[in-house]
Amino acid sequence: MENLLDILRRLDDPEWLESPSDYNQAEVAGMFSRLTARISAEFSSHCEVDQDIQDSAQYGRLEVPAGSTVCGTRIVVLVSKFKPLAMVAADNPGAFLGTADARSEGELDVGDLEKVEQALADLGFVVMPEELLTVRYDGAACLRFHGSGLPSWWDRFFGSF
């Protein structure tokens, strides 16, 4: 089985920064729509979505409302244009040092996380831990980074260009 960093390296093509060469917007839109329907059903709630993320390798953002979670903290799911990459965060990416940290602080219920991760897995997504995505990017692309510090793998596959 390919490890998660190997997946990131395999998808890292310096010629295709915002989306892969075989990017099919209709296919990703369909996967995202199915994901939204599934997670909305799992939480018996309307999830907010943003699919208009310009100049970014991120396709969309889905938010499970705080009022629909056990701990009262929203759950954010990001989907990359580089399928099958996705990530899950409590409250917002960067609010915690990953989902384990959010769980240990009582802000993310393990059952809620399992619902989201199972939906992602069933639809063919690979969940990238936030801890891995915050590692310094050392890939093949020359990123035009707009943040402070050095770019990370999150910047490469979920950030803006």
Side-chain angles (χ1 to χ4, degrees):
M1 178 94 189
E2 190 173 27
N3 81 41
L4 296 178
L5 188 55
D6 288 341
I7 293 171
L8 295 176
R9 291 190 190 289
R10 179 177 46 80
L11 293 171
D12 185 30
D13 184 337
E15 299 296 317
W16 298 90
L17 296 178
E18 196 171 320
S19 61
S21 62
D22 63 349
Y23 179 63
N24 181 326
Q25 184 172 358
E27 180 182 1
V28 176
M31 289 176 69
F32 191 80
S33 178
R34 289 188 296 279
L35 177 65
T36 299
R38 167 81 180 267
I39 291 177
S40 293
E42 289 286 346
F43 287 90
S44 301
S45 178
H46 170 75
C47 293
E48 294 294 322
V49 297
D50 182 1
Q51 293 172 263
D52 188 27
I53 303 167
Q54 297 186 8
D55 300 323
S56 176
Q58 185 182 141
Y59 173 79
R61 175 185 174 108
L62 178 152
E63 295 180 9
V64 178
S68 299
T69 68
V70 171
C71 295
T73 303
R74 75 178 165 180
I75 299 173
V76 175
V77 179
L78 305 180
V79 171
S80 177
K81 291 177 185 171
F82 289 82
K83 80 173 196 190
L85 303 181
M87 74 158 290
V88 179
D91 188 38
N92 217 17
F96 297 93
L97 300 174
T99 55
D101 184 47
R103 285 193 331 267
S104 72
E105 291 193 28
E107 297 294 326
L108 180 61
D109 177 70
V110 70
D112 285 349
L113 179 60
E114 286 173 357
K115 287 181 198 178
V116 171
E117 289 182 339
Q118 189 61 55
L120 286 160
D122 289 350
L123 292 168
F125 290 98
V126 173
V127 177
M128 290 289 160
E130 193 168 359
E131 303 88 332
L132 174 61
L133 292 172
T134 59
V135 169
R136 188 177 140 258
Y137 174 76
D138 63 354
C142 181
L143 297 182
R144 292 170 298 217
F145 183 59
H146 300 290
S148 61
L150 297 171
S152 67
W153 286 99
W154 187 91
D155 297 306
R156 171 65 182 96
F157 290 111
F158 295 93
S160 298
F161 295 99

